[in-house]
Amino acid sequence: MIKLENVSKVFKGDVVALREANCDINKGEFVFLVGPSGSGKSTMIRLLNKQEEPSTGAIYVAGKHIGQLNSWKVPYLRRNIGCVFQDYKLLSNKTVYENVAFALEVIGRPRHVVKTQVPAILELVGLSKKHKNYPDELSGGEQQRVSIARAFVNRPLILLADEPTGNLDPATSVGIMRLLDRINRTGTTVVMATHDRSIVDTMRRRVIELDRGSIIRDQARGVYE
Amino acid sequence: MIKLENVSKVFKGDVVALREANCDINKGEFVFLVGPSGSGKSTMIRLLNKQEEPSTGAIYVAGKHIGQLNSWKVPYLRRNIGCVFQDYKLLSNKTVYENVAFALEVIGRPRHVVKTQVPAILELVGLSKKHKNYPDELSGGEQQRVSIARAFVNRPLILLADEPTGNLDPATSVGIMRLLDRINRTGTTVVMATHDRSIVDTMRRRVIELDRGSIIRDQARGVYE
Amino acid sequence: MAINGNYVLRETTANLTRNITLTVASVLTVFVSLAILGSTVLVRQGAQNATRQFEGGVEFIVYVDADITPSELAAVKASLEDNPGVLRAPYVDAEATYKEFRRLFKGQETMLENVRKGDLPTSFRVEPKDKSVESVQELVAYYQKRPNVYYVSAATEVIREMKAITTFFNNGLSVFAVFLLVASALLILNTIRTAMFARRREIEVMKLVGATNWFIRIPFMLEGLIQGLIGGVLAVGFVFLAKGWLDDLLNRSKGLNLLQNFSIESSDVTLACLVVVGVAITLSVVSSALATRRFLDV
Amino acid sequence: MAINGNYVLRETTANLTRNITLTVASVLTVFVSLAILGSTVLVRQGAQNATRQFEGGVEFIVYVDADITPSELAAVKASLEDNPGVLRAPYVDAEATYKEFRRLFKGQETMLENVRKGDLPTSFRVEPKDKSVESVQELVAYYQKRPNVYYVSAATEVIREMKAITTFFNNGLSVFAVFLLVASALLILNTIRTAMFARRREIEVMKLVGATNWFIRIPFMLEGLIQGLIGGVLAVGFVFLAKGWLDDLLNRSKGLNLLQNFSIESSDVTLACLVVVGVAITLSVVSSALATRRFLDV
Ligand SMILES: Nc1ncnc2c1ncn2[C@@H]1O[C@H](COP(=O)(O)OP(=O)(O)OP(=O)(O)O)[C@@H](O)[C@H]1O
Ligand SMILES: Nc1ncnc2c1ncn2[C@@H]1O[C@H](COP(=O)(O)OP(=O)(O)OP(=O)(O)O)[C@@H](O)[C@H]1O
Ligand SMILES: [Mg+2]
Ligand SMILES: [Mg+2]
């Protein structure tokens, strides 16, 4: 499903965010990306989404070399990839409902689909009561859950989640992890960057550990450290 | 130093973010605010900073009833309160150095003070190498550390920190907690909202637990739960 | 990808009302610049109507008798063509003369009914080599006395001055119009860029959830087009107002040499309106297209 | 709170250059509106100069002999005041006449040197009750023949038309100027609001780290003032250009009745410039002050 071949990402000022990364993620896998702050987790996720271009190397997503994709095809690639951003990226002038519905409208889903899907997913993340609120009227954790709802509402093939529990208390985190697990069981490939040791240790899924841009561990049923 | 008397905060739509809160925090104390997502931690911090007004009740900071403060005095109040925001609130068009320096320029500190203080504090949070980067060129954890540096650079009387370790890996979190501890030892009152069980359990400081807006526990050398 | 009409409508309205001062400022500037442009066209047309007979280098007109014979006409023609002082002297035949007569007396039905094509004297439009007042006067006096010449009409001092004045006002107005058109283009460009800038996070998110560029662009382009059109329609209204004022002024100044031939016809108003609307549309489409090219590369 | 000059300079420059299209559009619109305003002032002054003698209801002027005796003068005065057809007839004495003469012939030194105060005929400016052409002509003819009357000068048809035309152009230009001033004010307002809007997060953060409102506001207000001033200075330049063009036009149209008295003096240019600069400053200060009132309540 996802394949990195010798992928490096060097930012200006010679910051090597990713160094010669190689990995192969199959359809339906659940992968944790771990590593200290600044080790390149978000960079790797942004590369999969074509938010950034790799400096060298090739990335294949769903069998396509995304570096060679025509620019007008990029939107169609992204429709298959749901993404929970580390900084949420909610639209401050849209309500919770509209933020989630937006992801469906943008890809041209008919209105009746929007009307049934959105409330269902909001129920799932526990925000039914807040559907009329604007993002800045939500707590940090609530915003994070809206972001998860939006990423998953159009049932993507791949779900990328960048620290989806960073601002959640342990109990809510467990709830979100159950949700991601359920999503994964429906066949969606999940890649999740996280710092939360207890989650990684409990779930026992594949763990890829980064350190200063290099993959230093790729373990099938791994723990945080 | 900080005193809440029957403070409630009701948002539109009858969302009670804080309900009849009473507490008294002395100079030099270190207080953890804990509670599930949406329980009112950020709201309490925003009230202390006069970012929000309480619906009822009185708040005293440094002996002053801040609800009765003249609006032109508010800036001077805020100069005594450093704040690490849950969403960092960095200026995207300023570099790391400028973001931190800004907090000093705004309050009219002379240039030589800026030139010595800023590098020192950046060294402290481990970002000396990134001082020329812009916020969107930083990882989530690095941005959080810039926010901490800015909050503390002018040595405020009070430091409010809203989940300062939410996006940090365990090792970096420990480093940040040591820093906050050191800041606290210099006499600064620290109020920190967090979800990180291990940090609260290790530090054993005063813990105020919120649940759906009410203070349900106020324990001198408490644990997370 | 199907673009939802409802979505486009909603977004465009939101854009237009979000920053109402900027929208109003843009529309106003577009309006004023197009109004000035329209006025310029009107003044230019009016002046052209007044001085059409004396266009180019034509300095005087030799009218020949209506009942002139072909050979007599040939003699006059030869005398003009052989004159070393004459540069060009094209002949305006009965057909063309009658056409111009109809134009000048449009609306005055009795006049039109009673005059037939043959009744009107045909003429030569003479462009002399030397256009100084003295040499023109000499030529005029000479042809005045030639046989079969009915009347010689010279471009008077007044017409020359009128040309100078209208040129002056035309230039002045054109300068204003050009500056204002640039300002308008910049403003429409800018309103849209500001709208896009204000929504750059939204655009970024749209792109990240898989929106195509056109999906994002269309509401913004429509916004620009609507601004341009509102400004244009207002300017068209102004052109009609201006036509009214000018007619009024012309009525009040009957007997004043300077303006006696100055007239604005409805075809001129139509021309002015077409120019205004054409510029409005071009302006807004081009500005919008330019403006929406940015902010789209995420 | 001490405001750091360096900081203010840096921020203002950043604001002005951040959104360069909007800055250019604002400056252009301010420039064009002020240029039109300036031109309006010039045309108005020129027309006033040309028709000053016939201001108010004055329809004709009775010049009396220069060597008139006081008793003869009193007789003329009485005949005017007793005439039921005359509404008012103020006397312009030697002093005032000489002043006006000096005004009209400014620059023509030989003229000024050779004429002394006593040489000029003094006059009565007569405003008749009935201003119809016939009754005025009757009065003119009557006084023309009175003893000690040197000459009677009547407001001609040309002057009336001239007033009509200048009024027309004045109105047209004023309409444009007003629309454009509104657009300019909106634009300056808007440029600043856009600048503040674009930086609303920055402003919020500034407030949260303890910046005072004035600290935040001053760079933005300066931005508006600078835009207004640049527009104003350009417009002043244009006023001088326009003065040049008008002089040129007047030279070329010597002998044309309509414009012979039309003159623009340097005091008129000064007036136009003062108006332009005054409006520029008022406009930008008021707009900036209004614009910066928002976004400041965090
Ligand atoms: N646009 C950029 N320009 C320059 N450097 C960048 C840019 N984006 C990221 N970096 C750097 O690349 C490194 C990796 O960043 P990345 O965001 O991938 O870290 P991360 O593993 O997600 O960290 P965190 O856990 O703190 O979010 C960091 O040192 C960061 O400063
Ligand atoms: N401006 C607002 N308008 C309406 N409701 C609000 C507003 N701000 C906060 N709330 C609501 O108040 C409640 C408390 O929010 P708060 O941000 O204090 O929670 P929190 O304890 O910080 O949560 P988290 O750990 O997720 O950050 C939440 O339910 C939130 O939706
Ligand atoms: Mg990250
Ligand atoms: Mg919070």
Side-chain angles (χ1 to χ4, degrees):
Chain A
M1 201 60 172
I2 299 171
K3 193 169 169 189
L4 274 68
E5 283 181 2
N6 290 320
V7 175
S8 294
K9 177 70 188 176
V10 184
F11 288 107
K12 64 144 211 266
D14 288 331
V15 180
V16 184
L18 211 59
R19 191 191 310 267
E20 296 285 315
N22 281 291
C23 75
D24 203 332
I25 298 171
N26 293 321
K27 185 161 161 44
E29 265 195 290
F30 194 121
V31 179
F32 285 116
L33 279 182
V34 301
S37 173
S39 57
K41 303 181 296 296
S42 300
T43 302
M44 189 157 150
I45 284 179
R46 280 202 291 267
L47 286 172
L48 297 180
N49 206 9
K50 223 166 150 44
Q51 261 179 283
E52 305 264 11
E53 298 294 328
S55 307
T56 59
I59 300 172
Y60 297 87
V61 173
K64 290 197 188 80
H65 186 317
I66 64 169
Q68 289 171 354
L69 220 56
N70 272 332
S71 71
W72 66 268
K73 276 189 183 162
V74 173
Y76 302 92
L77 168 75
R78 288 186 180 151
R79 288 174 193 189
N80 290 323
I81 307 176
C83 195
V84 182
F85 303 96
Q86 193 167 7
D87 54 353
Y88 323 144
K89 292 202 192 297
L90 299 179
L91 303 176
S92 57
N93 57 339
K94 290 202 188 306
T95 63
V96 167
Y97 180 95
E98 287 165 353
N99 262 287
V100 178
F102 188 64
L104 292 175
E105 281 177 346
V106 149
I107 62 172
R109 286 290 138 82
R111 213 185 304 180
H112 67 269
V113 173
V114 176
K115 279 206 179 132
T116 54
Q117 299 273 50
V118 177
I121 197 94
L122 285 179
E123 180 72 47
L124 217 57
V125 296
L127 283 176
S128 298
K129 277 191 197 150
K130 303 258 170 195
H131 72 99
K132 276 187 185 156
N133 285 61
Y134 288 90
D136 61 0
E137 299 170 352
L138 297 179
S139 79
E142 287 161 351
Q143 291 183 41
Q144 203 152 41
R145 282 179 276 162
V146 177
S147 180
I148 294 170
R150 185 184 59 191
F152 191 60
V153 71
N154 62 343
R155 313 279 151 166
L157 288 177
I158 299 171
L159 187 69
L160 307 174
D162 199 350
E163 311 214 18
T165 59
N167 279 301
L168 296 177
D169 57 290
T172 316
S173 295
V174 169
I176 291 298
M177 288 319 297
R178 284 220 188 91
L179 175 62
L180 288 180
D181 194 31
R182 214 154 69 199
I183 289 170
N184 175 238
R185 278 180 214 282
T186 66
T188 304
T189 313
V190 178
V191 179
M192 169 172 163
T194 187
H195 289 127
D196 197 318
R197 162 178 284 145
S198 59
I199 287 176
V200 179
D201 292 354
T202 324
M203 300 270 292
R204 298 301 300 262
R205 300 299 186 94
R206 178 170 171 190
V207 172
I208 295 178
E209 185 174 348
L210 288 164
D211 189 26
R212 276 162 287 158
S214 304
I215 296 182
I216 55 166
R217 179 163 61 109
D218 188 344
Q219 198 175 5
R221 292 171 51 80
V223 292
Y224 188 80
E225 270 172 335
Chain B
M1 201 59 171
I2 297 171
K3 194 171 168 188
L4 272 68
E5 283 182 1
N6 290 319
V7 175
S8 293
K9 177 68 190 178
V10 184
F11 287 108
K12 65 143 210 266
D14 288 332
V15 181
V16 184
L18 212 58
R19 192 190 309 268
E20 296 286 315
N22 280 291
C23 75
D24 204 333
I25 297 170
N26 294 321
K27 184 162 162 41
E29 264 194 292
F30 194 121
V31 180
F32 285 116
L33 278 182
V34 300
S37 172
S39 58
K41 303 181 295 297
S42 299
T43 303
M44 189 158 151
I45 284 178
R46 280 202 292 266
L47 286 171
L48 298 179
N49 205 10
K50 221 165 149 44
Q51 260 179 284
E52 304 264 12
E53 297 294 328
S55 307
T56 59
I59 300 170
Y60 298 87
V61 173
K64 291 200 186 77
H65 186 317
I66 64 168
Q68 290 171 354
L69 219 56
N70 272 332
S71 71
W72 66 266
K73 276 189 184 160
V74 173
Y76 301 92
L77 168 76
R78 288 186 180 150
R79 290 174 192 190
N80 290 323
I81 307 176
C83 196
V84 182
F85 303 97
Q86 194 167 6
D87 53 354
Y88 323 143
K89 292 201 192 298
L90 299 179
L91 303 175
S92 56
N93 58 337
K94 289 201 190 307
T95 63
V96 166
Y97 181 94
E98 286 165 355
N99 263 287
V100 178
F102 189 62
L104 291 175
E105 280 177 348
V106 148
I107 61 174
R109 285 291 138 83
R111 212 186 302 182
H112 67 269
V113 173
V114 175
K115 281 207 179 132
T116 54
Q117 299 273 51
V118 176
I121 197 92
L122 286 179
E123 180 71 47
L124 217 58
V125 296
L127 285 176
S128 299
K129 277 191 199 151
K130 304 256 169 195
H131 72 100
K132 274 187 186 158
N133 284 63
Y134 287 90
D136 60 1
E137 298 170 352
L138 297 180
S139 78
E142 287 161 350
Q143 291 183 44
Q144 203 152 39
R145 284 179 274 162
V146 178
S147 180
I148 294 170
R150 185 183 59 191
F152 190 61
V153 71
N154 63 341
R155 314 280 150 165
L157 288 176
I158 299 171
L159 187 69
L160 307 174
D162 199 351
E163 311 212 18
T165 60
N167 280 302
L168 296 178
D169 58 290
T172 317
S173 296
V174 168
I176 291 297
M177 288 318 297
R178 284 219 188 93
L179 175 62
L180 288 181
D181 193 33
R182 213 154 70 200
I183 288 169
N184 176 241
R185 278 180 215 283
T186 65
T188 303
T189 311
V190 178
V191 179
M192 168 172 164
T194 189
H195 289 127
D196 196 319
R197 163 178 281 142
S198 60
I199 287 175
V200 179
D201 292 354
T202 326
M203 299 271 293
R204 298 303 298 264
R205 300 300 184 93
R206 179 170 170 188
V207 172
I208 295 178
E209 185 174 348
L210 288 164
D211 189 24
R212 275 161 289 158
S214 305
I215 295 182
I216 56 166
R217 178 162 62 110
D218 188 344
Q219 198 175 1
R221 292 170 53 80
V223 291
Y224 188 80
E225 268 172 338
Chain C
M1 179 211 52
I3 286 190
N4 187 324
N6 184 37
Y7 164 84
V8 170
L9 199 75
R10 185 153 40 86
E11 291 298 305
T12 309
T13 321
N15 285 352
L16 283 169
T17 50
R18 186 189 315 265
N19 199 341
I20 196 79
T21 355
L22 192 49
T23 304
V24 171
S26 300
V27 168
L28 262 183
T29 315
V30 174
F31 159 54
V32 174
S33 46
L34 291 177
I36 292 184
L37 185 72
S39 312
T40 313
V41 172
L42 281 190
V43 170
R44 172 160 299 177
Q45 291 300 107
Q48 219 163 63
N49 288 341
T51 56
R52 185 172 296 172
Q53 297 171 298
F54 296 97
E55 252 160 34
V58 173
E59 289 286 328
F60 62 95
I61 303 173
V62 176
Y63 291 97
V64 295
D65 293 334
D67 54 359
I68 197 168
T69 65
S71 68
E72 285 166 344
L73 185 67
V76 176
K77 195 179 165 75
S79 92
L80 279 163
E81 278 170 357
D82 298 348
N83 193 323
V86 171
L87 189 68
R88 235 191 310 272
Y91 176 63
V92 182
D93 65 10
E95 189 69 43
T97 310
Y98 187 64
K99 230 171 168 174
E100 189 168 316
F101 171 79
R102 288 187 64 94
R103 187 182 73 74
L104 281 169
F105 290 90
K106 198 160 72 184
Q108 285 158 268
E109 294 308 326
T110 43
M111 200 68 156
L112 291 177
E113 273 161 28
N114 291 319
V115 173
R116 271 158 313 126
K117 207 181 286 183
D119 295 350
L120 296 165
T122 55
S123 58
F124 293 91
R125 304 271 147 106
V126 188
E127 184 181 343
K129 278 213 182 76
D130 179 359
K131 276 156 196 157
S132 70
V133 178
E134 301 78 38
S135 79
V136 170
Q137 273 170 352
E138 220 168 89
L139 279 169
V140 167
Y142 172 75
Y143 281 101
Q144 191 78 70
K145 285 180 224 116
R146 298 278 305 172
N148 299 313
V149 168
Y150 174 70
Y151 173 64
V152 177
S153 156
T156 60
E157 195 62 19
V158 166
I159 285 180
R160 287 215 199 93
E161 290 315 325
M162 170 140 176
K163 279 189 183 171
I165 292 179
T166 41
T167 307
F168 174 76
F169 274 109
N170 255 327
N171 288 351
L173 287 176
S174 302
V175 168
F176 284 143
V178 166
F179 273 117
L180 276 170
L181 285 179
V182 171
S184 305
L186 283 177
L187 267 173
I188 293 191
L189 192 88
N190 198 74
T191 315
I192 296 167
R193 274 185 45 187
T194 310
M196 295 191 87
F197 180 78
R199 298 179 65 202
R200 64 195 182 287
R201 267 183 70 85
E202 201 164 341
I203 291 172
E204 187 197 345
V205 175
M206 284 166 100
K207 297 218 64 169
L208 289 179
V209 300
T212 57
N213 280 351
W214 280 105
F215 184 86
I216 298 169
R217 183 182 270 161
I218 281 177
F220 291 106
M221 291 193 64
L222 253 174
E223 183 193 349
L225 189 64
I226 288 175
Q227 287 176 1
L229 281 182
I230 296 178
V233 166
L234 289 177
V236 164
F238 181 86
V239 165
F240 279 97
L241 262 180
K243 152 91 170 125
W245 290 344
L246 278 172
D247 281 348
D248 205 49
L249 177 74
L250 294 176
N251 279 338
R252 268 192 289 140
S253 65
K254 280 280 173 258
L256 185 70
N257 256 347
L258 186 68
L259 292 177
Q260 70 189 1
N261 288 313
F262 197 100
S263 72
I264 290 174
E265 292 158 34
S266 56
S267 68
D268 300 329
V269 176
T270 314
L271 177 71
C273 293
L274 285 180
V275 168
V276 162
V277 171
V279 172
I281 291 175
T282 318
L283 196 74
S284 45
V285 168
V286 171
S287 313
S288 312
L290 277 180
T292 51
R293 281 207 346 217
R294 292 179 81 231
F295 296 115
L296 283 181
D297 26 281
V298 172
Chain D
M1 179 213 52
I3 285 190
N4 187 325
N6 185 36
Y7 164 84
V8 169
L9 199 74
R10 185 153 40 89
E11 291 298 304
T12 309
T13 320
N15 285 351
L16 283 170
T17 49
R18 185 187 316 265
N19 198 342
I20 197 79
T21 355
L22 193 49
T23 304
V24 170
S26 300
V27 168
L28 261 182
T29 316
V30 173
F31 158 54
V32 174
S33 46
L34 291 177
I36 292 184
L37 185 73
S39 312
T40 314
V41 172
L42 280 190
V43 170
R44 173 160 299 176
Q45 291 299 107
Q48 220 165 60
N49 288 342
T51 57
R52 184 174 295 170
Q53 296 170 297
F54 296 97
E55 250 160 38
V58 173
E59 289 287 327
F60 63 95
I61 304 172
V62 175
Y63 293 95
V64 295
D65 294 333
D67 55 358
I68 198 168
T69 65
S71 66
E72 285 165 343
L73 186 66
V76 176
K77 192 179 170 76
S79 91
L80 278 164
E81 277 167 0
D82 297 347
N83 193 323
V86 172
L87 188 70
R88 236 192 309 273
Y91 176 64
V92 182
D93 63 10
E95 188 71 41
T97 309
Y98 187 64
K99 231 170 164 174
E100 190 167 314
F101 170 79
R102 288 187 64 95
R103 187 181 74 74
L104 282 169
F105 290 90
K106 198 159 71 183
Q108 286 157 268
E109 294 307 328
T110 42
M111 200 68 155
L112 291 176
E113 271 163 30
N114 291 319
V115 174
R116 271 156 313 121
K117 208 181 285 180
D119 296 348
L120 295 166
T122 56
S123 60
F124 292 92
R125 305 268 147 110
V126 187
E127 183 181 344
K129 277 214 181 73
D130 179 359
K131 276 158 197 158
S132 70
V133 178
E134 301 79 37
S135 80
V136 170
Q137 272 171 350
E138 219 169 89
L139 279 169
V140 167
Y142 174 74
Y143 281 101
Q144 191 76 73
K145 284 180 223 116
R146 297 280 303 173
N148 299 313
V149 167
Y150 173 71
Y151 173 63
V152 177
S153 154
T156 60
E157 194 61 17
V158 166
I159 285 180
R160 286 215 199 96
E161 291 315 325
M162 169 141 180
K163 278 189 184 171
I165 293 179
T166 41
T167 307
F168 174 77
F169 274 110
N170 255 327
N171 288 350
L173 287 176
S174 301
V175 168
F176 285 142
V178 166
F179 273 116
L180 275 171
L181 285 179
V182 171
S184 306
L186 283 176
L187 267 173
I188 292 191
L189 192 87
N190 197 75
T191 316
I192 296 168
R193 273 185 45 188
T194 309
M196 294 191 87
F197 180 78
R199 298 180 66 202
R200 64 195 183 289
R201 267 183 70 84
E202 200 162 345
I203 291 173
E204 187 198 344
V205 175
M206 284 166 102
K207 297 218 63 168
L208 289 178
V209 299
T212 57
N213 279 351
W214 280 106
F215 184 85
I216 298 169
R217 182 181 273 160
I218 280 177
F220 291 105
M221 292 194 64
L222 251 174
E223 182 193 349
L225 190 63
I226 287 174
Q227 285 177 1
L229 281 182
I230 295 178
V233 166
L234 289 177
V236 164
F238 182 85
V239 165
F240 279 97
L241 262 181
K243 155 89 170 127
W245 289 344
L246 278 173
D247 282 349
D248 204 48
L249 177 73
L250 294 176
N251 278 339
R252 267 191 288 140
S253 66
K254 279 284 174 252
L256 185 71
N257 255 347
L258 186 69
L259 291 176
Q260 68 187 1
N261 288 313
F262 197 100
S263 73
I264 290 175
E265 292 159 33
S266 57
S267 69
D268 300 328
V269 176
T270 314
L271 177 72
C273 292
L274 284 180
V275 168
V276 162
V277 171
V279 172
I281 291 175
T282 318
L283 196 76
S284 46
V285 168
V286 171
S287 314
S288 313
L290 276 178
T292 50
R293 281 207 347 217
R294 293 179 80 232
F295 296 113
L296 282 181
D297 26 284
V298 173

